[in-house]
Amino acid sequence: MILIAFYACNDEDQPQNLKAEVTDFSPVMGGRNTLLTLNGSNFGTDINNVKVTINGKEALVKTVTNEVITAEVQKGTSSGIVRVILGERPNAQILIYDMNFTYVSNQVVSTYLGGESSGEADGDFSVATLSKPRYLVWGKNNALYIVEDGASSVDDMACIRVAKDNRLTTLLKASESTLVQRMRAIDFSLNENTMYIANDNNASGTMGFGTMTKNGDKYENLTSLWDQGGITAVKVHPETGAVFIGYHSGSWIYQYDVTNFIPKFQLPDAAGAAASKGNINTIAFDKPGTTAYIVSRKNHVIYKASYDMATGEFSDVKLLAGSFGVTGYADGTGTSAQFNEPSQGDVDEEGNFYVADRGNHCIRVITPDGEVSTYAGQNKAGMVDGIASLAEFNNPEGCQFGPDGALYIADYSNHAIRKVEEAQVQP
């Protein structure tokens, strides 16, 4: 059975009165770089007129004849419906075959650091321990900065750690400062001379937002710039260097311009009104810097917004994925997908957004069009390395791509940093 949706098609190489169809495709299972062959009729011959998607993720079309299309499966694909799109929307002909393609992950999960037991020990990776890693940022010096949850006591210490050259050190301890306790996120100025720190001072620390300055290879001189409570996120724009802050009450995004904290916009609820509270865990930009993704952990949703680098303004702020205020676990499109406390996320080279889904113990990936799938993990708590689809996490919170292209995960309740990367895995 073939399901076909038709629209007007004006391309000269694809006659308007001929209905196209897909009769079969092969193989029906594969991983990244698998060459998919789709057989049928009336595809036309213009390769620029043909698009193939698998569960919303575009495949790379290699060849097109009137009867055969070949397309290569790309990174970030997941199992789902195969669509052939002829022409440009809205004047396009969309063909859907009734058999799904099964994507076999060639991503594997390993443990990069920690995981044996909870602790605060510095030293070589072989002996160093983590307690509650929650947020990750890579520096340009190939150092991984780790924000750990906790309080100000020595045995439950919130801190910022640094992993570099196979060694873990502690940069900042909440037990040694009255300014910070519940640190939520960090980021760096473009020249990395300044570290920005979001600290939720609803705990015991008095600082809401502040900085540390670089001195040699260390950061020091912790300074409070705003004592506002409920600061939960900070992000430096990758091109302009503008500093944005997430504020829990009213789901506000602010901009810090060195002098003032400027309100930019509020995230909407399901009805389009301002969401009263957000617990914003991530503000992330795509590589060109023109699209922002924002995670509301409290409301279990992912937002998407356009950003104009010339004017510094956001527009078209919309709920991209998740059901507002509803917890659950479901892959799907837009509001049909469900999350459970999505936390930190990051964007790949192709504009896909990866997010640690804390309460579902897995990593999800969302395409720019809002197609949600599970990238790694099984929606159950555990500590298992191996093939991404069979791996297990325990309340993952941090999620950041490294300089090697791997995805690093702060696995909160496993006291570990995990690593997801491509490898040769047989189905």
mmCIF file of all heavy atoms in Angstrom, residues 362-400:
data_model
loop_
_atom_site.group_PDB
_atom_site.id
_atom_site.type_symbol
_atom_site.label_atom_id
_atom_site.label_comp_id
_atom_site.label_asym_id
_atom_site.label_seq_id
_atom_site.Cartn_x
_atom_site.Cartn_y
_atom_site.Cartn_z
ATOM 1 N N CYS A 362 17.503 9.669 29.216
ATOM 2 C CA CYS A 362 17.967 9.470 27.841
ATOM 3 C C CYS A 362 18.298 10.807 27.193
ATOM 4 O O CYS A 362 18.059 11.868 27.765
ATOM 5 C CB CYS A 362 16.923 8.707 27.017
ATOM 6 S SG CYS A 362 15.348 9.558 26.862
ATOM 7 N N ILE A 363 18.855 10.730 26.002
ATOM 8 C CA ILE A 363 19.205 11.907 25.219
ATOM 9 C C ILE A 363 18.277 11.946 24.019
ATOM 10 O O ILE A 363 18.153 10.964 23.276
ATOM 11 C CB ILE A 363 20.671 11.865 24.757
ATOM 12 C CG1 ILE A 363 21.597 11.504 25.928
ATOM 13 C CG2 ILE A 363 21.060 13.197 24.121
ATOM 14 C CD1 ILE A 363 21.492 12.413 27.129
ATOM 15 N N ARG A 364 17.623 13.077 23.797
ATOM 16 C CA ARG A 364 16.693 13.221 22.684
ATOM 17 C C ARG A 364 17.305 14.151 21.640
ATOM 18 O O ARG A 364 18.163 14.990 21.948
ATOM 19 C CB ARG A 364 15.356 13.803 23.152
ATOM 20 C CG ARG A 364 14.804 13.179 24.445
ATOM 21 C CD ARG A 364 14.313 11.753 24.240
ATOM 22 N NE ARG A 364 13.068 11.693 23.511
ATOM 23 C CZ ARG A 364 11.867 11.934 24.039
ATOM 24 N NH1 ARG A 364 11.767 12.284 25.316
ATOM 25 N NH2 ARG A 364 10.774 11.822 23.307
ATOM 26 N N VAL A 365 16.845 14.015 20.413
ATOM 27 C CA VAL A 365 17.281 14.900 19.338
ATOM 28 C C VAL A 365 16.044 15.441 18.633
ATOM 29 O O VAL A 365 15.083 14.710 18.392
ATOM 30 C CB VAL A 365 18.235 14.183 18.348
ATOM 31 C CG1 VAL A 365 17.604 12.940 17.740
ATOM 32 C CG2 VAL A 365 18.690 15.141 17.252
ATOM 33 N N ILE A 366 16.071 16.748 18.343
ATOM 34 C CA ILE A 366 14.947 17.423 17.710
ATOM 35 C C ILE A 366 15.443 18.078 16.433
ATOM 36 O O ILE A 366 16.416 18.844 16.463
ATOM 37 C CB ILE A 366 14.331 18.489 18.641
ATOM 38 C CG1 ILE A 366 13.926 17.853 19.976
ATOM 39 C CG2 ILE A 366 13.126 19.139 18.000
ATOM 40 C CD1 ILE A 366 14.690 18.363 21.153
ATOM 41 N N THR A 367 14.806 17.796 15.315
ATOM 42 C CA THR A 367 15.167 18.437 14.056
ATOM 43 C C THR A 367 14.658 19.871 14.061
ATOM 44 O O THR A 367 13.790 20.239 14.867
ATOM 45 C CB THR A 367 14.575 17.687 12.854
ATOM 46 O OG1 THR A 367 13.143 17.872 12.852
ATOM 47 C CG2 THR A 367 14.894 16.196 12.916
ATOM 48 N N PRO A 368 15.145 20.719 13.143
ATOM 49 C CA PRO A 368 14.644 22.092 13.079
ATOM 50 C C PRO A 368 13.140 22.183 12.847
ATOM 51 O O PRO A 368 12.522 23.196 13.181
ATOM 52 C CB PRO A 368 15.428 22.689 11.901
ATOM 53 C CG PRO A 368 16.710 21.912 11.885
ATOM 54 C CD PRO A 368 16.305 20.511 12.251
ATOM 55 N N ASP A 369 12.540 21.120 12.297
ATOM 56 C CA ASP A 369 11.101 21.107 12.065
ATOM 57 C C ASP A 369 10.314 20.507 13.222
ATOM 58 O O ASP A 369 9.090 20.382 13.143
ATOM 59 C CB ASP A 369 10.784 20.331 10.786
ATOM 60 C CG ASP A 369 11.309 21.025 9.537
ATOM 61 O OD1 ASP A 369 11.350 22.273 9.531
ATOM 62 O OD2 ASP A 369 11.677 20.333 8.578
ATOM 63 N N GLY A 370 11.015 20.097 14.303
ATOM 64 C CA GLY A 370 10.311 19.618 15.478
ATOM 65 C C GLY A 370 10.087 18.130 15.553
ATOM 66 O O GLY A 370 9.291 17.663 16.378
ATOM 67 N N GLU A 371 10.781 17.339 14.729
ATOM 68 C CA GLU A 371 10.696 15.885 14.817
ATOM 69 C C GLU A 371 11.585 15.410 15.964
ATOM 70 O O GLU A 371 12.791 15.671 15.971
ATOM 71 C CB GLU A 371 11.147 15.228 13.512
ATOM 72 C CG GLU A 371 10.257 15.530 12.305
ATOM 73 C CD GLU A 371 9.126 14.537 12.162
ATOM 74 O OE1 GLU A 371 9.053 13.596 12.984
ATOM 75 O OE2 GLU A 371 8.326 14.708 11.220
ATOM 76 N N VAL A 372 11.001 14.716 16.924
ATOM 77 C CA VAL A 372 11.721 14.287 18.128
ATOM 78 C C VAL A 372 11.959 12.782 18.080
ATOM 79 O O VAL A 372 11.053 11.998 17.791
ATOM 80 C CB VAL A 372 10.931 14.627 19.401
ATOM 81 C CG1 VAL A 372 11.682 14.148 20.650
ATOM 82 C CG2 VAL A 372 10.667 16.124 19.482
ATOM 83 N N SER A 373 13.187 12.369 18.384
ATOM 84 C CA SER A 373 13.510 10.945 18.488
ATOM 85 C C SER A 373 14.500 10.762 19.632
ATOM 86 O O SER A 373 15.065 11.722 20.154
ATOM 87 C CB SER A 373 14.091 10.404 17.174
ATOM 88 O OG SER A 373 15.247 11.128 16.792
ATOM 89 N N THR A 374 14.689 9.525 20.024
ATOM 90 C CA THR A 374 15.616 9.200 21.106
ATOM 91 C C THR A 374 16.979 8.869 20.515
ATOM 92 O O THR A 374 17.104 7.956 19.706
ATOM 93 C CB THR A 374 15.090 8.027 21.942
ATOM 94 O OG1 THR A 374 13.812 8.391 22.484
ATOM 95 C CG2 THR A 374 16.036 7.703 23.082
ATOM 96 N N TYR A 375 17.994 9.620 20.911
ATOM 97 C CA TYR A 375 19.334 9.476 20.358
ATOM 98 C C TYR A 375 20.158 8.446 21.114
ATOM 99 O O TYR A 375 20.915 7.681 20.520
ATOM 100 C CB TYR A 375 20.018 10.837 20.382
ATOM 101 C CG TYR A 375 21.414 10.874 19.810
ATOM 102 C CD1 TYR A 375 21.629 10.666 18.451
ATOM 103 C CD2 TYR A 375 22.501 11.142 20.630
ATOM 104 C CE1 TYR A 375 22.906 10.711 17.923
ATOM 105 C CE2 TYR A 375 23.783 11.197 20.107
ATOM 106 C CZ TYR A 375 23.988 10.978 18.759
ATOM 107 O OH TYR A 375 25.245 11.027 18.239
ATOM 108 N N ALA A 376 20.018 8.425 22.431
ATOM 109 C CA ALA A 376 20.778 7.481 23.262
ATOM 110 C C ALA A 376 20.018 7.252 24.560
ATOM 111 O O ALA A 376 19.397 8.161 25.096
ATOM 112 C CB ALA A 376 22.179 8.006 23.554
ATOM 113 N N GLY A 377 20.084 6.026 25.059
ATOM 114 C CA GLY A 377 19.382 5.682 26.287
ATOM 115 C C GLY A 377 18.076 4.968 26.016
ATOM 116 O O GLY A 377 17.603 4.909 24.872
ATOM 117 N N GLN A 378 17.485 4.443 27.086
ATOM 118 C CA GLN A 378 16.320 3.565 26.924
ATOM 119 C C GLN A 378 15.124 3.941 27.789
ATOM 120 O O GLN A 378 14.228 3.134 27.996
ATOM 121 C CB GLN A 378 16.697 2.130 27.303
ATOM 122 C CG GLN A 378 17.803 1.505 26.507
ATOM 123 C CD GLN A 378 17.958 0.046 26.839
ATOM 124 O OE1 GLN A 378 17.090 -0.772 26.537
ATOM 125 N NE2 GLN A 378 19.052 -0.308 27.473
ATOM 126 N N ASN A 379 15.074 5.148 28.308
ATOM 127 C CA ASN A 379 13.971 5.543 29.180
ATOM 128 C C ASN A 379 13.917 4.672 30.434
ATOM 129 O O ASN A 379 12.845 4.332 30.921
ATOM 130 C CB ASN A 379 12.628 5.493 28.438
ATOM 131 C CG ASN A 379 11.479 6.056 29.270
ATOM 132 O OD1 ASN A 379 11.694 6.934 30.099
ATOM 133 N ND2 ASN A 379 10.285 5.531 29.072
ATOM 134 N N LYS A 380 15.091 4.293 30.927
ATOM 135 C CA LYS A 380 15.172 3.646 32.234
ATOM 136 C C LYS A 380 16.530 3.957 32.840
ATOM 137 O O LYS A 380 17.528 4.105 32.137
ATOM 138 C CB LYS A 380 14.964 2.134 32.131
ATOM 139 C CG LYS A 380 16.042 1.368 31.389
ATOM 140 C CD LYS A 380 15.758 -0.132 31.446
ATOM 141 C CE LYS A 380 16.858 -0.943 30.752
ATOM 142 N NZ LYS A 380 16.607 -2.384 30.842
ATOM 143 N N ALA A 381 16.551 4.063 34.165
ATOM 144 C CA ALA A 381 17.780 4.444 34.851
ATOM 145 C C ALA A 381 18.748 3.278 34.924
ATOM 146 O O ALA A 381 18.359 2.133 35.142
ATOM 147 C CB ALA A 381 17.458 4.939 36.256
ATOM 148 N N GLY A 382 20.036 3.582 34.725
ATOM 149 C CA GLY A 382 21.069 2.564 34.824
ATOM 150 C C GLY A 382 22.414 3.152 34.470
ATOM 151 O O GLY A 382 22.543 4.358 34.231
ATOM 152 N N MET A 383 23.414 2.301 34.415
ATOM 153 C CA MET A 383 24.767 2.721 34.058
ATOM 154 C C MET A 383 25.332 1.656 33.128
ATOM 155 O O MET A 383 25.996 0.704 33.557
ATOM 156 C CB MET A 383 25.627 2.876 35.308
ATOM 157 C CG MET A 383 27.089 3.250 35.055
ATOM 158 S SD MET A 383 27.259 4.894 34.358
ATOM 159 C CE MET A 383 29.035 5.126 34.404
ATOM 160 N N VAL A 384 25.022 1.799 31.834
ATOM 161 C CA VAL A 384 25.444 0.815 30.840
ATOM 162 C C VAL A 384 26.052 1.546 29.660
ATOM 163 O O VAL A 384 25.417 2.428 29.067
ATOM 164 C CB VAL A 384 24.260 -0.055 30.360
ATOM 165 C CG1 VAL A 384 24.709 -1.010 29.262
ATOM 166 C CG2 VAL A 384 23.658 -0.834 31.532
ATOM 167 N N ASP A 385 27.295 1.213 29.317
ATOM 168 C CA ASP A 385 27.935 1.711 28.106
ATOM 169 C C ASP A 385 27.595 0.787 26.936
ATOM 170 O O ASP A 385 27.024 -0.285 27.124
ATOM 171 C CB ASP A 385 29.451 1.772 28.300
ATOM 172 C CG ASP A 385 29.884 2.900 29.226
ATOM 173 O OD1 ASP A 385 29.100 3.856 29.404
ATOM 174 O OD2 ASP A 385 31.003 2.830 29.760
ATOM 175 N N GLY A 386 27.979 1.223 25.718
ATOM 176 C CA GLY A 386 27.760 0.377 24.547
ATOM 177 C C GLY A 386 26.953 1.090 23.480
ATOM 178 O O GLY A 386 26.939 2.333 23.411
ATOM 179 N N ILE A 387 26.292 0.333 22.631
ATOM 180 C CA ILE A 387 25.478 0.890 21.553
ATOM 181 C C ILE A 387 24.484 1.893 22.136
ATOM 182 O O ILE A 387 23.836 1.623 23.147
ATOM 183 C CB ILE A 387 24.751 -0.228 20.790
ATOM 184 C CG1 ILE A 387 25.777 -1.145 20.120
ATOM 185 C CG2 ILE A 387 23.806 0.356 19.745
ATOM 186 C CD1 ILE A 387 25.167 -2.379 19.500
ATOM 187 N N ALA A 388 24.375 3.049 21.507
ATOM 188 C CA ALA A 388 23.599 4.152 22.074
ATOM 189 C C ALA A 388 22.166 3.756 22.411
ATOM 190 O O ALA A 388 21.635 4.147 23.448
ATOM 191 C CB ALA A 388 23.613 5.337 21.111
ATOM 192 N N SER A 389 21.539 2.985 21.551
ATOM 193 C CA SER A 389 20.141 2.611 21.782
ATOM 194 C C SER A 389 19.977 1.641 22.942
ATOM 195 O O SER A 389 18.865 1.466 23.454
ATOM 196 C CB SER A 389 19.545 2.002 20.512
ATOM 197 O OG SER A 389 20.280 0.855 20.123
ATOM 198 N N LEU A 390 21.069 1.000 23.363
ATOM 199 C CA LEU A 390 21.018 0.049 24.475
ATOM 200 C C LEU A 390 21.687 0.584 25.731
ATOM 201 O O LEU A 390 21.647 -0.073 26.784
ATOM 202 C CB LEU A 390 21.678 -1.273 24.068
ATOM 203 C CG LEU A 390 21.097 -1.992 22.849
ATOM 204 C CD1 LEU A 390 21.902 -3.239 22.531
ATOM 205 C CD2 LEU A 390 19.628 -2.323 23.059
ATOM 206 N N ALA A 391 22.280 1.756 25.635
ATOM 207 C CA ALA A 391 22.972 2.345 26.786
ATOM 208 C C ALA A 391 21.967 2.823 27.830
ATOM 209 O O ALA A 391 20.766 2.993 27.541
ATOM 210 C CB ALA A 391 23.846 3.504 26.330
ATOM 211 N N GLU A 392 22.460 3.058 29.036
ATOM 212 C CA GLU A 392 21.603 3.548 30.113
ATOM 213 C C GLU A 392 22.275 4.715 30.832
ATOM 214 O O GLU A 392 23.493 4.710 31.050
ATOM 215 C CB GLU A 392 21.282 2.431 31.114
ATOM 216 C CG GLU A 392 20.442 1.309 30.509
ATOM 217 C CD GLU A 392 20.188 0.171 31.478
ATOM 218 O OE1 GLU A 392 20.605 0.284 32.658
ATOM 219 O OE2 GLU A 392 19.593 -0.848 31.059
ATOM 220 N N PHE A 393 21.447 5.699 31.193
ATOM 221 C CA PHE A 393 21.865 6.871 31.961
ATOM 222 C C PHE A 393 21.006 6.947 33.213
ATOM 223 O O PHE A 393 19.981 6.261 33.327
ATOM 224 C CB PHE A 393 21.685 8.146 31.133
ATOM 225 C CG PHE A 393 22.451 8.173 29.835
ATOM 226 C CD1 PHE A 393 21.900 7.648 28.674
ATOM 227 C CD2 PHE A 393 23.714 8.734 29.767
ATOM 228 C CE1 PHE A 393 22.596 7.680 27.468
ATOM 229 C CE2 PHE A 393 24.421 8.766 28.570
ATOM 230 C CZ PHE A 393 23.861 8.238 27.422
ATOM 231 N N ASN A 394 21.399 7.825 34.136
ATOM 232 C CA ASN A 394 20.630 8.013 35.365
ATOM 233 C C ASN A 394 20.524 9.508 35.656
ATOM 234 O O ASN A 394 21.454 10.119 36.162
ATOM 235 C CB ASN A 394 21.281 7.267 36.530
ATOM 236 C CG ASN A 394 20.364 7.148 37.734
ATOM 237 O OD1 ASN A 394 19.289 7.745 37.776
ATOM 238 N ND2 ASN A 394 20.799 6.385 38.728
ATOM 239 N N ASN A 395 19.391 10.097 35.267
ATOM 240 C CA ASN A 395 19.145 11.529 35.430
ATOM 241 C C ASN A 395 20.193 12.401 34.731
ATOM 242 O O ASN A 395 20.815 13.275 35.345
ATOM 243 C CB ASN A 395 19.079 11.905 36.911
ATOM 244 C CG ASN A 395 17.893 11.280 37.619
ATOM 245 O OD1 ASN A 395 16.813 11.163 37.048
ATOM 246 N ND2 ASN A 395 18.096 10.859 38.856
ATOM 247 N N PRO A 396 20.416 12.204 33.445
ATOM 248 C CA PRO A 396 21.379 13.059 32.741
ATOM 249 C C PRO A 396 20.881 14.498 32.681
ATOM 250 O O PRO A 396 19.697 14.750 32.442
ATOM 251 C CB PRO A 396 21.448 12.424 31.350
ATOM 252 C CG PRO A 396 20.096 11.790 31.165
ATOM 253 C CD PRO A 396 19.723 11.275 32.530
ATOM 254 N N GLU A 397 21.784 15.443 32.894
ATOM 255 C CA GLU A 397 21.413 16.863 32.865
ATOM 256 C C GLU A 397 22.238 17.680 31.872
ATOM 257 O O GLU A 397 21.700 18.523 31.173
ATOM 258 C CB GLU A 397 21.542 17.477 34.262
ATOM 259 C CG GLU A 397 20.497 16.988 35.242
ATOM 260 C CD GLU A 397 20.347 17.922 36.441
ATOM 261 O OE1 GLU A 397 20.743 19.103 36.351
ATOM 262 O OE2 GLU A 397 19.823 17.462 37.472
ATOM 263 N N GLY A 398 23.554 17.477 31.830
ATOM 264 C CA GLY A 398 24.407 18.252 30.941
ATOM 265 C C GLY A 398 24.519 17.609 29.577
ATOM 266 O O GLY A 398 24.502 16.383 29.447
ATOM 267 N N CYS A 399 24.659 18.437 28.534
ATOM 268 C CA CYS A 399 24.729 17.916 27.160
ATOM 269 C C CYS A 399 25.453 18.944 26.304
ATOM 270 O O CYS A 399 24.954 20.039 26.076
ATOM 271 C CB CYS A 399 23.308 17.670 26.647
ATOM 272 S SG CYS A 399 23.173 17.003 24.977
ATOM 273 N N GLN A 400 26.652 18.590 25.826
ATOM 274 C CA GLN A 400 27.475 19.551 25.100
ATOM 275 C C GLN A 400 28.396 18.826 24.115
ATOM 276 O O GLN A 400 29.049 17.846 24.466
ATOM 277 C CB GLN A 400 28.321 20.358 26.080
ATOM 278 C CG GLN A 400 29.234 21.374 25.458
ATOM 279 C CD GLN A 400 28.549 22.725 25.237
ATOM 280 O OE1 GLN A 400 29.214 23.690 24.892
ATOM 281 N NE2 GLN A 400 27.236 22.810 25.425
#
